[in-house]
Amino acid sequence: AGEAAGVGVWEIELGRGVRYTSSVHDAIFGYPDGLGEWSVERFLESVLPADRQSVRDTFRLLEEGAEGWTFLCRILRPDGEERWIEVRARRTPRGSARVLGTIMDVTARVAAEDRQRESERRFRTLAEGISPVLWSASPTGDELGGIRWE
């Protein structure tokens, strides 16, 4: 199901390291033939430097007992392509050192959200620059005139 949905999965035992990554997880990071050895530090090395401290702090929350979290960050793949990922994690069972997580490539979603924000900004700029105009018409549709507020 994860493969069909483009969702990678991973498992880590805090203090011991990563125990499992799925093929989708590995492909998201740019390793379609598998990663081999994977660790939190290797993950952090993939994260863009501007996002790295925030991601490190988020992992620290798990070590300090948080039950789970979700975050977005940017990674740099071996081919030089920058991608946005969404990472989710949850301890299972409660209080254990075992953490299960998912990862999704959300680059297209982030780009669409950026385009939407830019479109809204341009529309707002346009709307704020237009003077309001009121037009009136008779019941037959004849134009009676307009008033412009400046």
Side-chain angles (χ1 to χ4, degrees):
E3 200 169 306
V7 177
V9 295
W10 51 273
E11 179 183 348
I12 186 172
E13 184 136 356
L14 297 173
R16 290 191 171 174
V18 175
R19 295 174 52 173
Y20 172 77
T21 61
S22 70
S23 60
V24 174
H25 171 282
D26 297 352
I28 287 170
F29 279 91
Y31 299 94
D33 297 326
L35 282 166
E37 188 65 31
W38 190 243
S39 66
V40 172
E41 282 307 313
R42 187 164 179 198
F43 168 73
L44 289 170
E45 289 169 6
S46 298
V47 174
L48 290 186
D51 297 350
R52 197 171 292 151
Q53 188 59 49
S54 172
V55 172
R56 185 175 275 122
D57 292 345
T58 302
F59 269 98
R60 193 170 297 121
L61 291 174
L62 278 177
E63 294 167 357
E64 294 171 355
E67 292 299 318
W69 40 246
T70 300
F71 67 86
L72 292 174
C73 71
R74 295 164 295 166
I75 60 169
L76 186 63
R77 294 165 34 134
D79 61 6
E81 186 176 3
E82 187 178 305
R83 306 298 291 176
W84 278 95
I85 59 171
E86 179 179 83
V87 181
R88 295 175 183 259
R90 175 95 29 222
R91 282 179 187 262
T92 184
R94 291 182 75 93
S96 79
R98 185 172 172 231
V99 178
L100 301 176
T102 62
I103 182 171
M104 289 178 54
D105 183 331
V106 294
T107 305
R109 184 183 86 195
V110 170
E113 290 168 352
D114 287 346
R115 286 190 304 274
Q116 177 71 27
R117 275 191 295 279
E118 177 59 19
S119 175
E120 289 169 354
R121 184 196 64 75
R122 285 193 324 260
F123 178 77
R124 194 172 24 261
T125 300
L126 176 67
E128 289 169 355
I130 295 175
S131 300
V133 175
L134 173 67
W135 288 97
S136 61
S138 71
T140 60
D142 295 330
E143 190 175 301
L144 298 175
I147 302 171
R148 177 181 217 116
W149 286 272
E150 298 283 340

